[in-house]
Amino acid sequence: MNIRISLLFVWIFLLPHLGKGQSFSKEERLQGFSHRQDTTFFIFDEALYPKGEGKIVLTGSFRQWSQDMADPTWTLSKKNPHILAVYNPEFDKIPPQSEFKFRRGKGEWLSPPAGAPNEKGTNLVFMKDITPPMLTAEINPSGTIWAYTHGQPASLDVDSWKLTNGTGEEISIARVMPNLDDRVLIVSAQPLDIRRVYFLEIPERKLRTVVSFDAWFSQLYTHKPLGANIGEDREHTAFRIFAPRAERIRLYLYDGPEDEFNTQFFDMEQDSTGTWEVIVPQNLEGKYYDFTVHGAKDPGNHFYETVPVHISDPYSRANVECWGRSRVCKKTVPAPPLKDGIPPLEDVIAYEVHVQDFTRQLPVPEGEKGTFKAMMTPGLTNSKGEPIGFDYLVNLGINVVHLMPVQEFLHYHDDDWKESFENDPFMKKHGINTENYQWGYRTSHALAVENRFRVKGTEYGSEREQFRDLVTAFHEKGIAVIIDIVPNHSAENMDGKENPYFFHWNVLDKQYYYRTKDLDHIGEYGNEVKTENRPMVQRWLIDQCKDYIDEFGIDGFRVDLAGQIDRQTLLGLREAVGPDIIIYGEPWIASNDPAYESNPSWDWYKHNSPICFFQDDFRNAVQGPPGNPQTKGKDRGYAGANFHQKEKVKMALSNRFPDDKTPVSGISYIDIHDNWTLADRFAKEDWNAWEGVEEERYKLAALMLYTGLGPIVAHGGVEIMRSKGQAELKETVKTTNAGLKVYLHGKRDTYNMAKPNEFHWEHVGATAEDEVGYGDHKSMYAFFQGLNHFRLSEQGKVFRRSTPAPDGFYRWVDTVNPYQLGYIVDGKVFVLINTGSEPHDWDNVYLPEGTWKLIGNNDAVDHVNGVTDEEVPEKLAGDQAYQFSIQGPGFKMWVKE
């Protein structure tokens, strides 16, 4: 038997036993791994993580952040500490600097333990300080190649190197020219075509790399308008598309969205920047179009010669669904601006909402459900006569509507979907048996508006004016509109495979538009769009934002997973759109590209954020970290009686976390579309709000959000205790007849499950005595309404700061009881909170001089008229000492008149 095969059998036999009897140090347990000889041991010590149940699974960049919880290859042992042994002799399985994370049970993501020396962002890093042997190379516009050995000496011996083309043919090297200790210039004996794919090797070191196009690509840029643009003279239409490595591009024009035969075609011409263009001497408004893109059949290419498909226009203003043809549209006339201007960031109370979720149950004609028109329709009421829909939102008192994605996004074909799932009981239960419902975090056409949000039966492209009208309607009520953009990954290669929809980027040039490894996509969500070293991708991100401002009049953006967009591009975006536009985003997740992660000019986190970031530390302190909670007193935040979070709540309220340079460095929140709703986290039973909600604690979480410094964002429906409890807490995978995987994550992430996300409009106005809903929805709506009005009042201005607060701005009124928290803010607002279940007392409390009016308690918040409370006087004098006793859980709030 071959000795290598024999060793493999020995390894397979020993693998289940490796790690047994091993002793791991405290540091190894904290960092989550130990590497010994040829084996990497991943270690999960239950004592270092929140209590929970279920198996432990490893994922990370080496798995493309796979969310598969069923693969036994990556499942740790059952005995604590949980161990997974990986044979990793040359670090080919798990390379140094790989980021990883543990998951538990049915998919709970577990953050690094406190004190982990290798924590980065929210991940752990394998061998963080080790740089593995590495070779990279890039072709220059002249046809020479830069070769980098990254800290290892670079040989000048021609015979040490091997250069091959995409078909495997070896190319002679004429000279190797010195430059740096670890960089040389490779000069081939014959001219190289810079559009072609090449591989460079150092055979002796077993190093091989794709020759990248970075040196060339990083220099390409055009200022010309891209897409289809009708000339100002209204007598010609210019088409432009960027594809530097293409050899030919043909434009096709059609009269209708599904015409089988093209009516015209034009061969486009390429300029020196890599931009292809043709100017047709006609006004082609309303025409449909697409392209074929031709080029070499090299590995990693998707040109027509390899994949014979027509593609749509990445800059199209309208598209026939996400997978059809593009349509020529004139520019849209934007909504009038807000009368009083865009609210400054410190004043922002944003309300995150999804168009389809908000409108599916509204009493509008069937063809308007799920549309922009339904969302802006005034005068709607439920069976109790309560305002719902647009009026409900206006009356709530927020000043910013934050729309979840409205750019054209991926839906699977309806025919395939219906044939696959129309009679599937699980899919019917969740309202997704006839259409591929999505939140939209898989953009296909960033400058087009999602066509499924238009009124049914109206033509493609009419969604643009309908969206503009929605913005106008909110502007007329003094409410700003921002949209959720998703530039970090695109619709192509979603769900873990190349789906049959070649929209455009893969075909135009995967190597230009995406981060890749060995010519293949990388990224947790199927791909990562590459903004660094790609001026035209950087421009694409900025163009989409400027177009939504110029053509629709929107007021800002939330950037999805902004941590995967390089810092320089985000700084450029901030500069390009101007200082008044609202921008905030997620500082996570990490890229799977080591070059990005290791470059401090690109990679960033909260401490050096180029935009306002989501302050998850606030959320964790108040309502608890994301994931699947097991124990109420431990897995929820301070509002849920976890008194260990008291000091962090003080930091949250007063803007004192280490990354909080100013109150507008981050935006605070307690509930957002990802993960569980606040109502389910504060449910009485089974983490399901439909079984009832701990409403007093729920209100405490809201109170803390509204009495902290800086901008805030609330999850749509939080004001009526919206629940996702109808979704199971489990992972489900379905497959369409066409072979496409559909991943349904259940309650932890309901991005493609319709019914759990719907607004139940009959809950509006329902009280605890009604048989509708599961609590006092009427009181909760009024409570949030009162908080909004107070926050935006002159008295609430104390919380709306853009500059750091001085020491003592929050004066803590403390007791030795960890369930009690009191604070006086700038001498103007006084709050007492009891998160315990029993009454608690404060003795000898002195207030600043003046008259203090009670404006809030468990029942209501009303800064204008005050509230009545049997336990305390409605007004206090600032020259006396007071004793307070507050039933728990509960609060009181006063303002100085």
Side-chain angles (χ1 to χ4, degrees), residues 368-605:
E368 295 180 9
K369 292 182 182 294
T371 69
F372 297 125
K373 188 175 190 303
M375 193 170 192
M376 61 176 283
T377 299
L380 300 177
T381 60
N382 63 12
S383 63
K384 293 180 287 294
E386 295 283 345
I388 58 177
F390 182 75
D391 294 341
Y392 163 98
L393 197 48
V394 171
N395 295 341
L396 184 58
I398 49 94
N399 63 355
V400 176
V401 168
H402 162 166
L403 296 174
M404 290 166 68
V406 298
Q407 297 163 301
E408 188 73 51
F409 55 83
L410 172 64
H411 289 93
Y412 292 154
H413 276 292
D414 283 345
D415 290 346
D416 177 35
W417 191 272
K418 288 183 69 173
E419 290 173 3
S420 306
F421 304 127
E422 189 166 14
N423 297 312
D424 184 303
F426 179 89
M427 306 299 267
K428 288 175 73 173
K429 175 183 176 182
H430 296 296
I432 50 176
N433 58 313
T434 60
E435 69 161 334
N436 179 208
Y437 162 92
Q438 295 281 344
W439 273 342
Y441 293 99
R442 37 179 67 192
T443 304
S444 61
H445 299 80
L447 286 86
V449 176
E450 172 52 49
N451 79 91
R452 294 196 180 196
F453 292 162
R454 75 187 194 279
V455 174
K456 307 302 183 287
T458 57
E459 62 181 349
Y460 291 109
S462 60
E463 63 272 7
R464 297 179 65 81
E465 284 70 29
Q466 293 173 26
F467 175 58
R468 185 270 322 280
D469 292 345
L470 175 67
V471 178
T472 299
F474 280 118
H475 279 191
E476 288 174 348
K477 298 298 183 180
I479 298 175
V481 178
I482 70 173
I483 64 169
D484 204 333
I485 63 170
V486 193
N488 44 78
H489 55 265
S490 77
E492 297 181 64
N493 297 86
M494 296 297 288
D495 296 325
K497 63 176 287 186
E498 281 192 2
N499 62 56
Y501 312 137
F502 284 88
F503 302 104
H504 34 248
W505 295 134
N506 272 347
V507 171
L508 289 169
D509 200 340
K510 181 167 65 176
Q511 306 309 315
Y512 187 90
Y513 290 102
Y514 294 108
R515 298 182 187 126
T516 60
K517 179 181 179 181
D518 298 331
L519 301 173
D520 289 329
H521 284 288
I522 60 175
E524 179 176 353
Y525 298 99
N527 61 68
E528 294 181 14
V529 172
K530 185 174 178 67
T531 48
E532 71 284 355
N533 267 342
R534 299 292 190 270
M536 292 300 289
V537 181
Q538 189 177 81
R539 178 189 156 179
W540 165 77
L541 189 153
I542 293 171
D543 279 352
Q544 61 184 274
C545 294
K546 292 184 71 174
D547 274 25
Y548 270 85
I549 295 169
D550 294 343
E551 298 201 26
F552 302 102
I554 70 159
D555 308 293
F557 308 92
R558 178 261 191 187
V559 186
D560 179 69
L561 298 185
Q564 288 194 339
I565 304 298
D566 75 281
R567 189 168 186 271
Q568 302 307 314
T569 294
L570 291 171
L571 289 171
L573 172 64
R574 175 75 275 176
E575 180 69 22
V577 299
D580 295 336
I581 294 295
I582 299 165
I583 303 180
Y584 54 79
E586 296 173 306
W588 44 76
I589 58 175
S591 167
N592 280 276
D593 186 346
Y596 175 92
E597 289 292 304
S598 63
N599 190 323
S601 292
W602 296 340
D603 189 33
W604 61 275
Y605 196 55

Side-chain angles (χ1 to χ4, degrees), residues 207-227:
L207 296 175
R208 183 176 187 265
T209 187
V210 177
V211 178
S212 83
F213 302 98
D214 285 359
W216 175 36
F217 284 169
S218 63
Q219 302 175 38
L220 296 176
Y221 185 82
T222 182
H223 65 276
K224 296 176 181 177
L226 299 179

Side-chain angles (χ1 to χ4, degrees), residues 349 396-398 706 783-793:
I349 303 176
L396 184 58
I398 49 94
Y706 278 80
F783 185 80
F784 273 84
Q785 191 178 46
L787 286 173
N788 286 322
H789 291 324
F790 168 54
R791 177 95 180 182
L792 294 178
S793 71

